Amino acid sequence: MAGSARTRRSGGNGASTGRRLVIVESPAKARKIASYLGRDFVVESSRGHIRDLPRGAADVPAKYKGQSWARLGVDVDHDFEPLYVVSPDKKATVTELKAALKGVDELYLATDGDREGEAIAWHLMETLKPKVPVHRMVFYEITEPAIREAAANPRGLDQHLVDAQETRRILDRLYGYEVSPVLWKKVMPKLSAGRVQSVATRIVVERERERIRFVPASYWDIAAVLDAGADATPRTFNARLVAVDGARVATGRDFGPDGRLLPKSADVRMLDEAEARRLAEGLADVRLSVTSVEEKPYTRRPYAPFMTSTLQQEAGSKLRFSAERTMRTAQRLYENGYITYMRTDSTTLSDTAIAAAQSQARELYGDAYVSPKPRQYTRKVKNAQEAHEAIRPAGENFRTPGQVAGELDVDELKLYELIWQRTIASQMADAKGTTLSVRITGVSATGEECTFAASGRTITFAGFLKAYVEAVDAEAGGEADDAETRLPRLARDQAVTAAELDPDGHTTNPPPRYTEPSLVKALEELGIGRPSTYASIISTIQERGYVWKRGSALVPSWVAFAVVGLMERHFGRLVDYDFTAALEDELDAIAAGRQERTTWLSGFYFGGDVGPTGSVGRSGGLKKLVGSGVEEIDAREVNSIPLFTDDAGRTVMVRVGRYGPYLEREVDGQSQRANLPDDLPPDELSPEIAEKLFATPQEGRSLGTDPATGHEIVAKEGRFGPYVTEILPEGVKEKPRTGSLFRSMSLDTVTLDDALRLLSLPRLVGVDPESGEEITAQNGRYGPYLKKGSDSRSLGTEEEIFNITLEEALKIYAEPKKRGRRTAAATPPLKEFGADPVSGKPIVVKEGRFGPYVTDGETNASLRKGDDVEAITMDRAVELLAEKRAKGPTKKKPTRRKATTKS
């Protein structure tokens, strides 16, 4: 039976005798659990959810198709009764589970212990309709003691948790199905809105708006290298000018996003380049003396063990894993018994786990490194998920990464090691050290008193830092907790000299774009959604085209700008951060039994006394909010995003059309438009770039006339890159010839001769004497290639399209077909890096049939949209290869075999 795992042990610990069916969500989990239970247990898998609301009209049963609510899948007029249907791909699973149920005396529902798991268990009961006793079996780690304990002490189904999860599902359906059609009408077909998805998109768009509005400010100071004398250790140290004549020198913190000094910083001394250079020259050979020395003890407590959100953040920062990759890997670790349940908001550890962590820390680092008292980390988190333990290694005795290395793949081992280190460190002693702050003053030759500052930190006892150091945001100026900066022992009035005085110019930077880890952090801090859903939310906003990645940065599309603008102007409450977080509080009240589900849904949808003042419910409800005034929404206004004015005072704006965004301004009463490249981030669309785009008319640059046909030939910019085409006379129905520009060509320099060569393709190379098939040379979206019937072979260079001979082509076809480019090994790499940390082999960037890719000779990974060959870094190359490895080899569809009839 598919998904089945029959146990081989004897002596089950269940409360009664007889055959028992245990149902879990995944085959992997079923296999692991089965190995711990007795012979009287049969463990089956539901393979996730077995039923849901209808995905479309085709899923709605015939008897409901005429109902007014059938489109929603929720009968809003009769207590918001949901219409659940068994997913087409789960009908066979349900049949198998029903068959398994016939031969048992009890049913154990062992789905995950959170709200979603509780809902899956409820759906199984509702679908299977068991006539035997039903038990709810809950555990948070898959180890033999935990599984036997859960089987021996089951509980009943928690209907409050089911109600909370079902309310969430119904709420998300009502939100999506009511709001999305407005986007289809007013912005673009096939768009979607979501309770958390739309807010997450708004967060990313707001950051890009900040970057667009940002005005950089320039300021100067002096970087100094000071000499404390031959007896000092270290002799020299770095310092920076912090005050002139008692007035603090301006730093980046003193400027607002408009490039001006903040009101609170009105009294700072703002140095320009000339003044900084004058002061540096005036301080040359001047006696400097120490005016203050402040030494303080330094203590750093360990970090709390991981919960879902912090694991996603750290794995993103340290391992460069996406949130989805982190959760996918953690799921495998949990289901195979290596870590505890990975969807949790708790940072607490059980007494057993604390003892295991302390024991391992003592064994690895010694008694001095173990905390004298057990550490518990309690936290008040908005909208906390049901409390259980933090994410930690499973079992009463933790296995080291070295002990499990042979059992795990690369990603699993990396993540396990991260969780193991963090857990061990949480029960270790504080790190201790000293911090030293020094001020050094001197008077310049022009009379100004200049004060320099230097600071240092020395770690005298590493404590937990021996085991784990948290990642820091270097872009935001963060410094690792184990970083040390040593200063010499200095005393007040001690003389020092300036070995170097360098005037140093700075420019303020716009706020950084969100990455997946920082977006997870923002969502958590705002109390929006559940950490367990962040991975799918971040994936969804990328799949929907609202956000794309440039390296690790999340960049919003212009479509996202239009959608968020519409939501803010017309459905503000639906994307308001506080109201969205308050929704989670209300769903928590349902989970706790303080709020009745139907009453709350009715208030939210039709209007009622639910939620805080100004909430959707108290403002008339979702139906009224979305239904009233939709026709009055000005689609042109919503899809117009003003950017700036050009030199002539004309407003330049981005317009989002039904086929994508474009640039527009009015010139002499006429609309002037320009195509927008897909990979141009909104904040980089400057007036200079806009003028360049406008200079390339949409109708294209005329290159001349084809002497053979008399047709005008033009070069144009398309959504997928530059190309040349011919202008056909009116009334001609045939399609115009087109040809993509070679990589060596540009719109500015392509000539008529170049264009005619491109339009002459495909070129007939000759006829295969054996098969009689024509062989042609062509230029495709992914590079040059040969084609013979349905057999295509890559060419090494674009020029080969025009000069390859029939003999050379036949030699290529005589060779076995290879994956990738025929000349990949011979063609010099586009870029070279060092050794890959996994394979140990050198990483290079190569040109492939489907575009540039990184490879270590074993694994190939294509560059993504937003990755640039010139700008790609070693870290990014390693990340792409790791992601490719994590996906594993492409699986072939199994060949279906006909079942043998048993006689």
Side-chain angles (χ1 to χ4, degrees):
M1 185 180 293
S4 174
R6 297 183 180 275
T7 59
R8 298 176 184 174
R9 290 174 182 262
S10 60
N13 284 345
S16 62
T17 59
R19 298 281 288 167
R20 301 159 197 159
L21 173 63
V22 180
I23 302 179
V24 298
E25 300 97 328
S26 77
K29 193 174 172 183
R31 286 192 294 271
K32 195 69 178 177
I33 289 172
S35 68
Y36 297 139
L37 294 172
R39 70 176 66 157
D40 294 329
F41 288 85
V42 175
V43 187
E44 298 285 355
S45 163
S46 70
R47 298 183 185 86
H49 290 270
I50 59 167
R51 67 177 194 168
D52 196 4
L53 299 172
R55 287 176 291 189
D59 288 347
V60 177
K63 65 178 179 178
Y64 297 113
K65 285 188 183 290
Q67 301 293 331
S68 59
W69 51 266
R71 177 184 66 88
L72 287 173
V74 179
D75 189 349
V76 296
D77 297 319
H78 294 90
D79 295 333
F80 289 83
E81 187 67 30
L83 172 62
Y84 288 116
V85 295
V86 175
S87 308
D89 58 337
K90 292 298 175 66
K91 287 181 179 178
T93 300
V94 170
T95 301
E96 291 171 358
L97 292 176
K98 284 182 176 179
L101 192 56
K102 289 178 181 178
V104 300
D105 303 299
E106 292 177 279
L107 173 62
Y108 284 72
L109 299 173
T111 49
D112 290 339
D114 56 11
R115 297 175 194 182
E116 187 173 8
E118 206 74 16
I120 292 175
W122 176 77
H123 281 292
L124 285 165
M125 278 187 63
E126 292 289 304
T127 305
L128 300 178
K129 302 187 186 307
K131 293 181 173 61
V132 297
V134 179
H135 308 287
R136 181 76 171 96
M137 182 173 157
V138 180
F139 46 87
Y140 296 107
E141 65 178 3
I142 302 177
T143 58
E144 184 166 354
I147 297 304
R148 287 182 168 272
E149 173 71 17
N153 297 284
R155 62 165 171 81
L157 198 69
D158 189 329
Q159 194 59 46
H160 290 319
L161 293 183
V162 174
D163 283 349
Q165 183 63 27
E166 293 309 288
T167 304
R168 186 183 301 275
R169 182 70 188 96
I170 293 168
L171 169 64
D172 288 342
R173 171 57 65 96
L174 296 174
Y175 187 118
Y177 274 46
E178 292 288 1
V179 180
S180 296
V182 179
L183 304 183
W184 305 341
K185 271 187 188 178
K186 302 298 180 180
V187 181
M188 188 183 290
K190 298 183 181 179
L191 296 178
S192 71
R195 179 173 56 90
V196 179
Q197 155 193 327
S198 296
V199 177
T201 304
R202 183 189 173 200
I203 291 172
V204 178
V205 167
E206 281 203 331
R207 177 56 55 88
E208 197 73 6
R209 287 170 176 165
E210 291 173 24
R211 291 175 63 87
I212 290 170
R213 291 192 298 265
F214 185 80
V215 178
S218 297
Y219 60 96
W220 285 72
D221 57 18
I222 298 174
V225 176
L226 304 182
D227 189 335
D231 297 332
T233 305
R235 177 170 179 168
T236 60
F237 59 98
N238 296 325
R240 193 166 286 276
L241 180 68
V242 294
V244 176
D245 287 336
R248 185 170 62 82
V249 172
T251 64
R253 296 191 303 270
D254 295 307
F255 296 92
D258 59 356
R260 299 178 181 178
L261 285 172
L262 297 167
K264 66 178 183 179
S265 302
D267 297 332
V268 299
R269 180 77 172 262
M270 191 169 142
L271 301 181
D272 57 19
E273 181 179 4
E275 193 171 8
R277 293 194 180 283
R278 179 178 60 78
L279 288 173
E281 291 169 5
L283 288 166
D285 303 322
V286 167
R287 181 184 181 277
L288 304 174
S289 63
V290 178
T291 51
S292 72
V293 178
E294 186 177 11
E295 188 172 7
K296 291 181 179 178
Y298 166 79
T299 302
R300 180 71 172 87
R301 293 193 66 204
Y303 323 106
F306 283 129
M307 53 184 180
T308 304
S309 60
T310 52
L311 178 64
Q312 290 175 5
Q313 291 170 51
E314 276 293 275
S317 300
K318 276 183 174 281
L319 306 179
R320 292 189 169 273
F321 283 11
S322 66
E324 184 181 31
R325 182 177 170 190
T326 299
M327 296 307 291
R328 187 172 61 242
T329 306
Q331 180 88 32
R332 294 199 302 271
L333 289 172
Y334 165 67
E335 290 183 346
N336 288 290
Y338 292 99
I339 64 171
T340 54
Y341 192 54
M342 66 287 160
R343 294 187 182 93
T344 174
D345 296 320
S346 174
T347 53
T348 61
L349 291 175
S350 66
D351 293 341
T352 302
I354 290 173
Q358 287 182 324
S359 172
Q360 204 150 64
R362 187 174 289 110
E363 181 183 332
L364 292 169
Y365 305 109
D367 286 338
Y369 284 88
V370 180
S371 173
K373 293 181 180 179
R375 294 185 187 270
Q376 277 294 10
Y377 299 83
T378 55
R379 63 191 295 270
K380 289 182 179 179
V381 59
K382 255 185 174 182
N383 312 320
Q385 182 72 295
E386 296 69 50
H388 46 84
E389 276 195 86
I391 304 169
R392 62 166 176 84
E396 297 179 359
N397 296 294
F398 300 161
R399 290 192 285 172
T400 66
Q403 290 171 323
V404 300
E407 304 167 18
L408 303 177
D409 67 24
V410 173
D411 277 8
E412 290 166 354
L413 181 59
K414 285 181 178 180
L415 197 64
Y416 180 83
E417 184 173 34
L418 200 71
I419 294 166
W420 176 83
Q421 289 174 335
R422 180 88 162 213
T423 308
I424 300 302
S426 74
Q427 297 304 314
M428 291 176 66
D430 296 343
K432 294 188 178 294
T434 57
T435 59
L436 189 63
S437 298
V438 181
R439 294 288 174 116
I440 300 103
T441 303
V443 178
S444 74
T446 49
E448 294 93 346
E449 183 185 70
C450 296
T451 302
F452 291 83
S455 59
R457 180 171 69 190
T458 305
I459 307 293
T460 56
F461 176 68
F464 75 93
L465 295 175
K466 276 268 190 183
Y468 190 84
V469 181
E470 194 169 66
V472 295
D473 186 352
E475 234 182 288
E479 185 179 54
D481 285 330
D482 62 343
E484 292 187 279
T485 307
R486 292 187 176 273
L487 294 180
R489 302 298 300 180
L490 297 169
R492 188 180 172 87
D493 298 327
Q494 180 177 338
V496 298
T497 57
E500 295 178 27
L501 290 165
D502 296 320
D504 198 4
H506 309 272
T507 302
T508 55
N509 294 314
R513 287 193 180 94
Y514 284 104
T515 59
E516 289 200 19
S518 62
L519 182 56
V520 165
K521 186 177 182 181
L523 289 167
E524 185 191 22
E525 288 175 347
L526 291 167
I528 291 166
R530 291 272 176 214
S532 58
T533 65
Y534 291 163
S536 62
I537 290 298
I538 292 172
S539 294
T540 297
I541 63 177
Q542 292 179 71
E543 289 164 5
R544 296 280 193 261
Y546 292 140
V547 170
W548 54 279
K549 273 191 173 182
R550 178 187 246 191
S552 61
L554 299 173
V555 184
S557 66
W558 288 112
V559 173
F561 272 75
V563 168
V564 169
L566 183 151
M567 297 288 286
E568 288 172 334
R569 280 179 237 176
H570 301 282
F571 311 125
R573 292 180 185 88
L574 296 181
V575 289
D576 181 274
Y577 301 146
D578 292 335
F579 285 137
T580 304
L583 274 179
E584 297 291 345
D585 294 332
E586 294 164 53
L587 291 167
D588 282 346
I590 294 170
R594 299 190 305 271
Q595 175 73 59
E596 200 274 324
R597 182 178 96 173
T598 303
T599 303
W600 186 87
L601 280 169
S602 179
F604 177 83
Y605 190 69
F606 291 117
D609 296 334
V610 296
T613 303
S615 66
V616 173
R618 293 181 187 274
S619 303
L622 179 69
K623 188 172 179 63
K624 178 182 175 183
L625 178 67
V626 175
S628 62
V630 169
E631 295 307 320
E632 280 70 51
I633 295 175
D634 186 335
R636 184 171 176 81
E637 179 188 0
V638 162
N639 291 294
S640 301
I641 302 129
L643 297 177
F644 40 72
T645 55
D646 62 15
D647 292 340
R650 299 169 297 208
T651 300
V652 176
M653 60 177 61
V654 169
R655 293 204 191 275
V656 177
R658 297 185 77 77
Y659 304 106
Y662 58 91
L663 211 55
E664 185 178 54
R665 67 181 171 190
E666 192 174 298
V667 178
D668 298 329
Q670 298 293 318
S671 170
Q672 183 184 19
R673 297 181 177 184
N675 291 320
L676 274 174
D678 279 358
D679 58 355
L680 179 66
D683 79 321
E684 294 181 16
L685 182 48
S686 63
E688 294 75 24
I689 289 177
E691 289 300 335
K692 185 177 178 182
L693 293 171
F694 279 127
T696 306
Q698 287 191 308
E699 60 270 17
R701 181 170 75 88
S702 179
L703 302 179
T705 302
D706 181 349
T709 64
H711 297 160
E712 183 185 6
I713 307 298
V714 296
K716 304 177 83 170
E717 180 68 67
R719 286 189 67 192
F720 303 109
Y723 67 100
V724 292
T725 188
E726 61 183 337
I727 306 298
L728 299 179
E730 285 187 29
V732 176
K733 292 183 178 180
E734 66 187 65
K735 288 185 177 180
R737 294 173 295 160
T738 61
S740 296
L741 265 61
F742 286 170
R743 293 182 185 276
S744 57
M745 299 174 179
S746 71
L747 280 177
D748 297 336
T749 59
V750 65
T751 65
L752 177 61
D753 287 342
D754 293 331
L756 293 175
R757 290 182 82 201
L758 294 173
L759 294 176
S760 71
L761 300 177
R763 168 181 163 250
L764 178 63
V765 177
V767 176
D768 185 337
E770 290 187 10
S771 66
E773 291 180 298
E774 290 185 346
I775 299 175
T776 58
Q778 309 188 29
N779 183 36
R781 185 177 171 190
Y782 305 110
Y785 66 100
L786 292 173
K787 187 171 179 64
K788 182 178 71 168
S790 60
D791 191 353
S792 300
R793 302 294 175 99
S794 296
L795 291 173
T797 66
E798 291 164 333
E799 276 306 311
E800 282 187 87
I801 294 175
F802 297 106
N803 56 34
I804 191 168
T805 65
L806 176 60
E807 184 182 4
E808 290 168 335
L810 291 173
K811 282 183 181 178
I812 293 174
Y813 276 105
E815 297 173 4
K817 191 168 185 178
K818 299 174 184 176
R819 290 185 64 189
R821 294 184 63 79
R822 175 178 62 85
T823 54
T827 305
L830 304 176
K831 200 167 187 178
E832 298 180 70
F833 296 111
D836 180 77
V838 175
S839 67
K841 297 183 177 181
I843 299 175
V844 295
V845 181
K846 288 190 171 185
E847 185 63 59
R849 180 180 176 184
F850 302 104
Y853 65 98
V854 294
T855 181
D856 63 349
E858 296 178 355
T859 304
N860 299 340
S862 297
L863 268 62
R864 306 277 178 80
K865 179 178 177 180
D867 287 327
D868 180 73
V869 173
E870 295 302 320
I872 192 170
T873 63
M874 170 73 172
D875 285 346
R876 177 61 177 158
V878 169
E879 178 187 4
L880 290 169
L881 290 174
E883 287 181 1
K884 181 69 174 179
R885 290 189 194 101
K887 291 179 180 177
T890 303
K891 294 181 180 178
K892 295 182 179 178
K893 290 185 178 179
T895 304
R896 291 186 176 272
R897 294 184 180 179
K898 291 184 179 179
T900 305
T901 305
K902 292 184 179 181
S903 55

